[in-house]
Amino acid sequence: MKPAALSRRPPRNRTLRAGPLRVWILICLAVLASTGSAGGSAMADAPPLSASLTVEGPLGELPRFGINLGVRTVWGAEQLMSNVLRNPGLEPALDGALIVVGRTDFTGVEDDSRWTARPEDFWAGARFEVLSGPAAGQQGQVLGNRRTSAASPDRLTLSPMPAGVGPGDAIAVRGQQDAAPAPLWWTEGRLRSVHDTRPGSPGRRSVLLQAMPGQQASLLHHLDSIGARAGKLLPVNGEWLLSLWVRGETDDARLQLSFGRHGQSPWLNQTLKPGRSWTRIELPFKTRDDGPPGPLQLAIRAVQGALLVDDLAMGASAAQASPGGFRTEVVQNLRALRPGYLRDWQGQLADLPANRSAEPWARQPIRYRPGAHEMQFAYGLPEFLELAAAVGARPWVILPATATPGEARELGRALAKGWRRHGFAEIVVEHGNEHWNTIFRPAGLARAATLAEVADRAFSALREGAGSETPLHRVLGVRYGDAGAATQMARLSRHSEGVAVAPYLHRHQDTGETTEQALDRALHEDLRPLQQALSEVRPSRRSIDVYEVNFHTTEGNASPTERSAVLNAPEAGAALARRLLQAANLGVTRQAVYALAGYDSFVGTDRQALAPLFGITRDLAGPGHWRPTGRALLALNTVMEGTAHAVGCTGTGCIELTALALAGGSRAALVSSAARPIHLIWPCSTAIEVHMDNTTPTRHSCVKGQVTLALPPRAWLTLAPFKEQATE
């Protein structure tokens, strides 16, 4: 369908109705022939545009827009948990991958890609299970892996060799392959893991620190390490608490504990003599983080003798009871945002359901890509579901791409338990993440037929585990803009209810383009690929869902300064708001912006420069540190949810206007993509409160059934009944 915004016919009364679309947007019809897309003196001198609006019939129910919670980090803005320490139980890591068979012989298989290659015999002892083809369900052990050259894929020797496995089949491989004594911690001196845990520990091991003559043994944990460019992303103020379990292995054991910022006196600095029995140590300390920024470091040192350490926690004392164990600032920001959906994507493509549900001290770090820096420590599923319930969001979870049917069944049982506890209206489950994207190839299935087969087996088992009452919505992702991909996935998959895409905007920016030109371009991008995807899946009665959306200005050769000028401009919020409302107009009800927090990301052709992507908050150092995109989403969700209504429009500004009405027109959201103001006439029955960009909400009287508003260039606006009058 050609969008109405592309029309150049003379203006007249019109209501945009897109067939059976459940939600609406208004984009009406004409623009002055002399109007250009860029600014300039002629544009500045031109008269304002006009739009007279009417609220039309109801079109369907619309939930609030969602947000991706994102990956947990310790160095950047994404410091999410009250216990700021990753892998606090000092547990072994889980490694996993998907092998797509390229060739077979009598004893093993060769992968079809070098993306999954590991050092020789890395996979020795790991378990495997075939996920697709005639051999699906067959299991065994990996005896070893090797490559004939640096440019060749891995060959895995399997025992037993699965009967009937052939090219194109997918095999999940997983094991505890990393020998580090404390993954995700830094170590110095002599340390090793031991199978001796404190009383009642849910974990399986602790770490032995052995001091040697002239050499201490240290466990180190670093936090907040990009302060040189970002300032303090994790301020340490007020009352904090460090707790850990310790047991002396020798009578002369001495333990030194310190915590502070580099180059400054530590807030905590104590030396203790541990006894020969397991003892829990609790050290409260008060902080005043008023010095310059710098990395934080927790140091746990055996300065004499030998001792065991297990099950640590450190964080602000007041945050320990926060929902799901998340930092208070995370909960505050999410409660203000009121997301309709909360998406749990944190790189868990090789995780196990048992690990997703494990207590933090028993949870293992995970990795699906080769490399020492690829390891993640995820927040757990029960924690995530508790957070979603606390902020009023529907959970959107990722089923690990390596999941076998048995593991998917186990995850289904866990989701059913969470649903019975929290009463979610819906739980979205997405298989893997961007299977088509080569950066996820170590746990991705690029071939659509293989992906559909593997996902269907997993989705069917997921439903069995969850039971028929649990309100699951199962989705498979395809590449946005890939013509025919949605049709193909909808045709191949029998156990999914939706196809997910990511309609990011403003992907490319070159040097020399002015900020105004770049913003104008961002505000006039169309959604033809999304329209195409919707038309493709409509016959199969599946939905199109948006798992990620935001600015994605990573391509081109623009400088960081040029990119930042666009991303930090108030108009960036209008561009994101317009994209969300456009998708809603086309019938998309599930949308999740990417992501809650993120200070910056690498951009450009060489990925060496940095730009303020992708967080809608610059940090979680406190509540309300919203970027323009965050302020727009915050405002939209104050009027979203409920019955959506079509909007009619007459006037010269209609083609530059995107709007959504709710609750019979008493609430609405509007976005202008025009380079000059639009004078609006909105129908009303009572006084309204108008919120516009960064301004304080204002009261407007309803005179003879209408209110007149001025919408500035490239701006968003929300309106709702005036609060005092609404409570009478």
Side-chain angles (χ1 to χ4, degrees), residues 124-469:
R127 301 294 300 176
F128 76 84
E129 180 167 337
V130 183
L131 301 183
S132 67
Q138 296 185 47
Q139 306 174 29
Q141 186 178 54
V142 181
L143 300 181
N145 63 284
R146 63 179 177 83
R147 288 180 287 166
T148 57
S149 70
S152 64
D154 260 5
R155 181 193 179 278
L156 280 67
T157 303
L158 308 179
S159 178
M161 178 64 185
V165 71
D169 290 342
I171 302 176
V173 181
R174 268 179 306 204
Q176 295 176 17
Q177 307 307 114
D178 194 294
L184 294 174
W185 290 71
W186 286 257
T187 60
E188 295 175 351
R190 188 173 180 179
L191 298 92
R192 62 183 175 89
S193 61
V194 297
H195 293 283
D196 184 353
T197 60
R198 55 91 172 173
S201 175
R204 67 195 71 187
R205 72 182 198 181
S206 60
V207 170
L208 174 68
L209 290 77
Q210 173 72 64
M212 303 297 290
Q215 184 184 45
Q216 301 174 350
S218 304
L219 271 173
L220 306 172
H221 204 293
H222 300 288
L223 300 152
D224 199 11
S225 57
I226 62 170
R229 68 177 187 267
K232 295 173 183 174
L233 299 178
L234 180 63
V236 182
N237 285 302
E239 296 183 355
W240 274 51
L241 176 69
L242 170 66
S243 68
L244 69 160
W245 286 80
V246 180
R247 179 166 74 82
E249 282 286 274
T250 59
D251 291 334
D252 63 342
R254 295 292 186 273
L255 172 68
Q256 184 186 64
L257 301 168
S258 67
F259 176 62
R261 290 198 184 272
H262 286 197
Q264 302 175 48
S265 298
W267 299 295
L268 174 67
N269 190 12
Q270 292 196 28
T271 301
L272 308 171
K273 182 182 184 301
R276 297 298 293 268
S277 299
W278 279 108
T279 303
R280 186 170 189 257
I281 297 173
E282 289 191 350
L283 296 173
F285 57 99
K286 292 184 178 181
T287 66
R288 184 177 177 181
D289 197 359
D290 54 2
L296 293 163
Q297 177 181 278
L298 171 67
I300 301 163
R301 293 188 170 96
V303 295
Q304 185 174 312
L307 53 91
L308 292 171
V309 175
D310 197 11
D311 292 358
L312 304 97
M314 186 176 68
S317 302
Q320 299 304 310
S322 190
F326 288 85
R327 289 177 57 218
T328 302
E329 293 83 355
V330 175
V331 180
Q332 289 173 326
N333 278 292
L334 286 173
R335 281 179 169 159
L337 191 63
R338 299 177 68 241
Y341 292 89
L342 191 64
R343 184 170 180 257
D344 170 19
W345 161 233
Q346 46 182 330
Q348 65 271 41
L349 296 182
D351 211 346
L352 294 169
N355 196 49
R356 298 287 295 118
S357 297
E359 295 182 44
W361 284 320
R363 193 172 307 135
Q364 297 175 252
I366 53 174
R367 178 173 56 185
Y368 69 94
R369 288 190 291 219
H373 300 293
E374 293 294 337
M375 205 168 286
Q376 299 285 346
F377 186 75
Y379 42 85
L381 181 63
E383 298 160 301
F384 174 74
L385 296 179
E386 184 177 342
L387 177 65
V391 302
R394 302 176 184 185
W396 185 324
V397 303
I398 302 298
L399 173 64
T402 54
T404 66
E407 292 160 1
R409 194 173 292 109
E410 185 180 352
L411 181 63
R413 289 192 288 267
L415 291 175
K417 180 180 179 180
W419 170 67
R420 288 191 294 270
R421 178 180 178 184
H422 299 295
F424 298 115
E426 177 184 54
I427 300 175
V428 180
V429 182
E430 182 180 352
H431 188 280
N433 180 76
E434 296 188 0
H435 284 274
W436 50 265
N437 194 334
T438 56
I439 67 172
F440 302 115
R441 169 58 188 86
L445 299 167
R447 184 171 174 265
T450 304
L451 170 58
E453 179 185 355
V454 171
D456 273 355
R457 285 196 171 107
F459 279 162
S460 177
L462 180 83
R463 171 55 73 189
E464 291 175 14
S468 59
E469 294 183 351

